[in-house]
Amino acid sequence: MNKQYYISNFTSIKKGAVYNAKNKIFESELELNEIDLFLKEAYNFLALSYPKFFKMDRLSKLGILASEVLLKNESLESDTAIILSNSTSSLNTDKTHQESINQIVSPSIFVYTLPNIVLGEISIKYQLQSENAFFISDTFDAELIADYTNDLLAFEKAKNAVCGWIDLKNAEYDVFLCLISEEGDVPFTQKNLEQLYYFENE
Amino acid sequence: MSDLRTELKESIIEQLNLEELSVEDIENDEHLFGDGVGLDSIDALELIVLLEKDYGIKLTDPQQGKDIFVSINRMAEFIEAHRTK
């Protein structure tokens, strides 16, 4: 019989604020389009000491900030899978790279021209050696994320999972990450995942 | 002499987004990679770009970078000997 998994915790980052579960833990007073300053403020608020953060593109910075809120107090198994999705892939960094293509191209920008780099950055930070996948869909597809994550867990490809949505359109961002494990109160189902995401975005 | 070293440190901090470092934190003879300043392989590529953009030096053999990017002192010596701008 399959084990029961739960949404143990979730976090979201949107419109200048950082949430842990339903609690707003940080809100910036900056204009909403000041994304780079917001990311730095959130980094300082979370007291992260991770110099590599400043070399990352915006998508990876969002991933690191959200996973820090989600995983900070967890003792994670190294086979915690990561399944993320968004609608814009790495478009933000792709555009920056394209704009520089007639000059000397920056290698440190080029390396972020794939959305799954954020998976690598999270894996490096939390020393995860696990299954991971990044999907592109128009909107948050709870069915896809729940199905894929459930399969990984059911076939014992991972002990826990981090899954969700990490979208970035110019300076607009919408991040929703969940930790899925055997502990918690909210069963991990497509419906619950969907309801949490849309509740958070009401 | 020392101006070039300071200029290099400023450029490296800016180009490589070393936000938590200042010019004073980098010693002229400190190793830039590994246990020293802690640069990585992508930073090495970025340093190759910096040499070309700021000093007109084109490295054709990436292996050369290993010898040149050892420290600020070594980089400055190489730039003084080969710069075209």
Side-chain angles (χ1 to χ4, degrees):
Chain A
M1 194 177 138
N2 284 347
K3 290 175 190 165
Q4 174 66 56
Y5 285 91
Y6 297 89
I7 301 174
S8 313
N9 193 13
F10 61 95
T11 182
S12 56
I13 303 178
K14 64 199 164 188
K15 295 181 182 164
V18 180
Y19 300 79
N20 186 9
K22 290 185 169 58
N23 306 312
K24 189 188 282 181
I25 58 169
F26 172 72
E27 184 165 28
S28 171
E29 290 179 357
L30 293 164
E31 295 289 323
L32 289 180
N33 61 0
E34 302 256 48
I35 179 170
D36 294 317
L37 290 175
F38 165 70
L39 293 169
K40 194 172 173 182
E41 275 192 356
Y43 172 92
N44 289 332
F45 170 78
L46 294 172
L48 266 162
S49 178
Y50 196 57
K52 196 171 189 290
F53 178 84
F54 295 105
K55 298 181 181 186
M56 296 177 192
D57 72 343
R58 291 171 175 174
L59 193 69
S60 288
K61 283 180 178 172
L62 285 166
I64 290 292
L65 292 173
S67 50
E68 180 66 11
V69 176
L70 191 70
L71 307 174
K72 185 155 107 172
N73 299 318
E74 303 288 337
S75 46
L76 275 191
E77 303 276 353
S78 66
D79 63 349
T80 297
I82 315 176
I83 304 96
L84 300 182
S85 57
N86 77 7
S87 70
T88 50
S89 184
S90 54
L91 186 62
N92 192 269
T93 304
D94 297 349
K95 279 160 74 180
T96 308
H97 175 64
Q98 189 189 32
E99 283 159 14
S100 72
I101 227 151
N102 292 328
Q103 304 144 30
I104 302 173
V105 168
S106 164
S108 56
I109 292 173
F110 175 71
V111 291
Y112 287 99
T113 56
L114 283 171
N116 51 336
I117 301 302
V118 63
L119 303 173
E121 293 291 9
I122 296 171
S123 298
I124 292 167
K125 172 88 171 68
Y126 297 96
Q127 298 179 326
L128 307 180
Q129 296 174 325
S130 53
E131 292 282 335
N132 59 53
F134 200 108
F135 295 101
I136 311 294
S137 53
D138 286 343
T139 55
F140 177 57
D141 186 343
E143 183 182 3
L144 170 71
I145 297 298
D147 281 355
Y148 193 87
T149 306
N150 268 325
D151 276 356
L152 285 179
L153 297 169
F155 288 100
E156 298 184 342
K157 299 291 183 193
K159 284 209 172 104
N160 308 305
V162 171
C163 65
W165 177 253
I166 176 164
D167 206 28
L168 174 68
K169 288 177 193 151
N170 300 316
E172 270 179 55
Y173 43 92
D174 175 18
V175 181
F176 170 69
L177 297 193
C178 298
L179 176 63
I180 312 302
S181 78
E182 289 180 59
E183 290 169 20
D185 300 320
V186 183
F188 178 51
T189 62
Q190 175 196 331
K191 197 175 162 199
N192 286 341
L193 191 63
E194 203 163 45
Q195 276 183 348
L196 268 184
Y197 173 75
Y198 287 106
F199 175 82
E200 288 301 303
N201 277 286
E202 267 175 13
Chain B
M1 275 289 260
S2 64
D3 277 347
L4 174 59
R5 283 161 176 77
T6 306
E7 179 186 295
L8 263 178
K9 289 178 194 176
E10 285 167 351
S11 303
I12 288 173
I13 289 169
E14 195 195 327
Q15 295 292 317
L16 308 187
N17 294 312
L18 306 177
E19 286 245 355
E20 294 180 345
L21 284 186
S22 63
V23 167
E24 294 75 32
D25 295 326
I26 306 176
E27 299 293 337
N28 287 341
D29 55 0
E30 189 176 2
H31 277 257
L32 293 176
F33 291 82
D35 291 337
V37 181
L39 303 187
D40 60 25
S41 53
I42 300 299
D43 295 325
L45 297 176
E46 208 62 61
L47 290 180
I48 293 175
V49 170
L50 185 146
L51 281 189
E52 185 174 351
K53 219 158 55 177
D54 294 354
Y55 305 103
I57 301 171
K58 212 167 184 165
L59 293 189
T60 44
D61 177 10
Q63 271 300 106
Q64 261 187 297
K66 264 192 163 179
D67 304 323
I68 300 159
F69 304 142
V70 170
S71 64
I72 293 291
N73 273 340
R74 180 72 190 100
M75 276 186 81
E77 284 162 13
F78 182 82
I79 290 167
E80 278 155 3
H82 297 90
R83 67 189 303 169
T84 60
K85 63 179 182 185

